[in-house]
Amino acid sequence: MRMKVFRGMLFLIGIVICLPVLALALGALKSERELSDALGAVIGASGGKVSWHLLPFYPTGEHFWELLFYTPEFFTVFWNSVKIVGCILLGQMLVAIPAAWAFAKFSFRGRGALYTVYVILMLLPFSVMLLPSYLALHGMRLLDTHLAVILPAVFSTFPVFLMYRSFCAVPKELYEAAKIDGAGEWQIFFRVGLPLGSPGILSALVLGFLEYWNMVEQPLAFLPTASKWPLSLYLPEIDLQRAGMALAASVITLIPAVFVFFMGQDYLERGIVSSGMKE
Amino acid sequence: MVKLSRRWTCIWRSKIWFLLPGLVGVTVFALLPFADMAIRSFSNGIGNYRTVSGNGAFQLAVCNTLRFAGIGIPILLVFSFFVALGIYKSKWMRFLKSIYLLPMAVPTAVLVLIWKAFFHKAGLFNQLLAVFGIREIDWLGSEAAFWTLIISYIWKNLGYTVVLWIAGMMSVPESLAEAARVDGATERQCVRYVVLPQLKPVFYTITMLSFLNSFKVFREAYLVAGAYPQKSMYLLQHLFQNWFTNLEIDKMAAAGVLLAVFFVGCSLALQRLWGGMN
């Protein structure tokens, strides 16, 4: 009996956790009128209380229509986000996968020390790196370009760390056998390392996508021009008088993230676990 | 000519190309700039460090950040532990895990309007509390803003922490619990005396990771309440951001080095828990 109540509580907590997302998704279908009545207090148009009914009275797709056909700046910002996240992930894969393989399979002098440096860099909060990155980007004249956000992220050491752990699980005998059969280092990497390390690579991709789709600090500091912003900075700037549009834009931003989340949930969990445990 | 080309092939085939591109990037974008900052921080001896440590905004921000970690993390750890205990071995485990993890996928900016509707003075949260007879609280404009931040931190990180706890519980050998049960231990005793002691190393890593993640609440705080929020949610990240806007480079450099030293300590401790390299 006690257990049942406990389990029931777990579902209740689950519902509470999902509530904000549900409120958003259903809210985007509400009419402008209904929204301004509901949010009057927040927008500052009227006094009174916020009155939010989860289900819309008269569901309408008008905000999505308006957003997709009459708001060209939304497209610019959406593509900014796609471009930034795409370039970061592509760059990370090119740079981090071989590096992780090198840490896992080669032994060279200073390997342990270098790895420790990588771990420290991965754990430093952005605040610490704000000024150094700014000085570097300023020196390279990259400020206010997308590269200012992309390049430092490409060389993030977190994916190296995640993939290192999955490459370590590749049996040493396999590596040695391939070597005896006369395979070159790169051949072993492509034929043995990549296929066997793919779960770690996918974990890094899923975690990376969710992280960079939600990037706030870096563009805030390095992209002063609003037309270069990604979605995560643009959304809060939408005028609250147009709450419907803000909600619709939020839903469209949410869709790719939720898609990646559900497709990659196993890899996400794997990534979380291997970022937290020794294996 | 042949000799030369052979030499190039040799270099080309060398293992160094695996690591070099990344290492160059890390050096250019992180290590050298950081060294640059460290040197700048001593531009007038330890004067910058004196200025920073005597700075009222810095003290406030450090206090708030530590207070946030000191209150938020224990709540998160205990709460997520019980949730993990409930989900673990349940046939609904996969489903519940996805629900709890969902907030990880939700970009902060997406929910700004919803948070405002929830936490506004005339908002939904207060209306809910009113049902229980609790007076109206200004969740964004008073001391309570701190708790708004804690709530959104827990909302966002619950799933992450639950997944870690469950992974830890899975690694406890079933035979141990089994043996205790045979000896007549109740389910609760089993958890208290068998599972819990085994989870000690997991507990340390989770604490450390939660601490590191606690630095990400800045996004919520900034997007909902702006660059100068209510005093109780003014965090170190706000301070850095505002110093950055005003280009107070000396102060930033000194504070950045201080923060980095602190984090290097944390990282080394964490690495010890992971057991280093194999």
Side-chain angles (χ1 to χ4, degrees):
Chain A
M1 184 57 208
R2 245 255 237 35
M3 207 57 204
K4 265 206 176 124
V5 175
F6 190 37
R7 288 268 154 80
M9 288 271 289
L10 291 178
F11 278 92
L12 200 68
I13 296 167
I15 293 171
V16 171
I17 286 177
C18 289
L19 216 52
V21 180
L22 276 179
L24 168 72
L26 294 168
L29 299 174
K30 292 182 177 187
S31 67
E32 199 65 62
R33 175 85 192 270
E34 196 187 339
L35 280 171
S36 63
D37 284 349
L39 294 170
V42 177
I43 298 171
S46 66
K49 294 204 178 307
V50 174
S51 62
W52 191 278
H53 300 274
L54 203 52
L55 292 174
F57 285 130
Y58 305 104
T60 162
E62 60 180 10
H63 307 303
F64 288 97
W65 185 265
E66 197 191 335
L67 190 71
L68 295 179
F69 294 101
Y70 298 100
T71 322
E73 89 243 23
F74 180 74
F75 281 92
T76 321
V77 175
F78 188 86
W79 286 117
N80 285 344
S81 266
V82 171
K83 181 181 156 194
I84 293 174
V85 175
C87 289
I88 291 177
L89 292 183
L90 188 71
Q92 279 189 345
M93 290 305 113
L94 288 177
V95 169
I97 300 177
W101 180 252
F103 274 121
K105 287 288 169 262
F106 304 156
S107 53
F108 48 89
R109 227 177 347 146
R111 168 167 160 269
L114 191 61
Y115 184 71
T116 305
V117 171
Y118 269 49
V119 170
I120 290 172
L121 285 176
M122 151 186 127
L123 296 174
L124 282 184
F126 177 71
S127 295
V128 172
M129 292 313 289
L130 173 57
L131 180 64
S133 305
Y134 175 80
L135 295 173
L137 295 167
H138 180 75
M140 291 178 231
R141 300 180 189 289
L142 288 176
L143 286 174
D144 208 16
T145 67
H146 283 146
L147 281 179
V149 183
I150 294 169
L151 281 178
V154 164
F155 297 108
S156 155
T157 53
F158 179 62
V160 179
F161 170 82
L162 259 192
M163 293 186 282
Y164 162 76
R165 300 207 143 201
S166 94
F167 281 144
C168 276
V170 175
K172 208 172 173 190
E173 292 76 23
L174 221 55
Y175 175 80
E176 246 117 68
K179 205 153 197 196
I180 290 168
D181 289 343
E185 291 295 345
W186 286 98
Q187 226 172 347
I188 303 177
F189 171 65
F190 282 114
R191 297 275 173 80
V192 179
L194 284 191
L196 291 177
S198 59
I201 297 173
L202 286 168
S203 299
L205 277 173
V206 171
L207 278 169
F209 181 87
L210 297 180
E211 171 67 22
Y212 295 116
W213 195 250
N214 185 21
M215 199 183 210
V216 174
E217 294 92 337
Q218 296 88 333
L220 182 67
F222 304 138
L223 295 177
T225 312
S227 65
K228 291 174 185 158
W229 282 358
L231 285 162
S232 43
L233 278 189
Y234 167 81
L235 289 179
E237 291 291 313
I238 298 180
D239 187 5
L240 281 182
Q241 302 300 330
R242 299 195 293 173
M245 244 193 53
L247 289 175
S250 300
V251 169
I252 293 181
T253 308
L254 185 60
I255 288 171
V258 168
F259 178 75
V260 169
F261 172 74
F262 281 113
M263 296 310 281
Q265 204 202 325
D266 290 336
Y267 296 109
L268 178 71
E269 275 178 39
R270 226 193 104 92
I272 294 173
V273 172
S274 67
S275 77
M277 307 284 156
K278 57 178 178 190
E279 281 158 52
Chain B
M1 195 61 208
V2 173
K3 210 171 177 185
L4 192 71
S5 80
R6 189 175 295 155
R7 200 159 158 198
W8 275 111
T9 323
C10 193
I11 292 176
W12 182 241
R13 281 199 185 150
S14 152
K15 292 175 185 172
I16 199 163
W17 293 105
F18 281 89
L19 196 56
L20 200 63
L23 192 56
V24 169
V26 168
T27 312
V28 170
F29 284 99
L31 297 178
L32 288 179
F34 185 83
D36 185 19
M37 174 172 85
I39 292 167
R40 273 167 201 264
S41 74
F42 290 104
S43 62
N44 50 359
I46 57 163
N48 290 330
Y49 289 91
R50 277 223 186 92
T51 323
V52 164
S53 57
N55 183 295
F58 182 73
Q59 289 163 354
L60 175 73
V62 169
C63 275
N64 280 341
T65 309
L66 288 179
R67 181 165 162 243
F68 180 80
I71 295 176
I73 293 172
I75 297 178
L76 177 69
L77 286 188
V78 172
F79 188 34
S80 61
F81 177 77
F82 282 108
V83 171
L85 210 55
I87 294 186
Y88 170 60
K89 286 182 180 168
S90 145
K91 61 182 172 193
W92 295 96
M93 179 162 92
R94 212 188 126 73
F95 174 72
L96 284 171
K97 259 205 269 186
S98 352
I99 287 185
Y100 288 129
L101 276 174
L102 183 67
M104 256 189 101
V106 179
T108 310
V110 161
L111 285 181
V112 169
L113 193 58
I114 302 291
W115 284 147
K116 282 182 180 162
F118 263 119
F119 289 114
H120 192 271
K121 215 171 165 182
L124 301 170
F125 203 42
N126 272 341
Q127 290 172 32
L128 183 73
L129 292 178
V131 176
F132 301 102
I134 297 171
R135 268 188 308 127
E136 204 169 75
I137 300 169
D138 191 354
W139 287 102
L140 292 173
S142 73
E143 289 287 313
F146 180 77
W147 292 100
T148 313
L149 216 53
I150 298 259
I151 291 171
S152 63
Y153 168 67
I154 289 172
W155 181 77
K156 187 115 197 160
N157 286 287
L158 185 65
Y160 183 90
T161 322
V162 166
V163 167
L164 286 174
W165 276 125
I166 289 179
M169 291 172 184
M170 297 266 204
S171 68
V172 175
E174 185 59 31
S175 55
L176 277 181
E178 204 57 55
R181 261 181 231 121
V182 171
D183 287 347
T186 62
E187 203 52 43
R188 188 180 291 183
Q189 283 171 328
C190 230
V191 171
R192 170 70 185 80
Y193 296 106
V194 179
V195 180
L196 217 50
Q198 295 273 324
L199 288 177
K200 221 188 221 169
V202 178
F203 166 76
Y204 291 134
T205 35
I206 295 181
T207 309
M208 202 65 101
L209 288 170
S210 305
F211 177 66
L212 297 169
N213 281 330
S214 76
F215 267 68
K216 289 190 182 154
V217 283
F218 171 67
R219 290 178 183 169
E220 276 83 3
Y222 179 79
L223 293 180
V224 174
Y228 293 97
Q230 208 279 328
K231 241 174 75 182
S232 68
M233 60 198 269
Y234 192 76
L235 302 172
L236 269 172
Q237 297 93 304
H238 287 97
L239 183 71
F240 274 86
Q241 198 67 46
N242 293 333
W243 275 348
F244 178 71
T245 317
N246 304 327
L247 280 177
E248 307 212 43
I249 292 192
D250 290 339
K251 279 189 203 160
M252 274 187 92
V257 171
L258 286 179
L259 199 56
V261 168
F262 180 68
F263 266 85
V264 168
C266 290
S267 325
L268 292 178
L270 190 58
Q271 238 202 333
R272 261 208 120 128
L273 295 171
W274 283 330
M277 299 191 83
N278 27 350

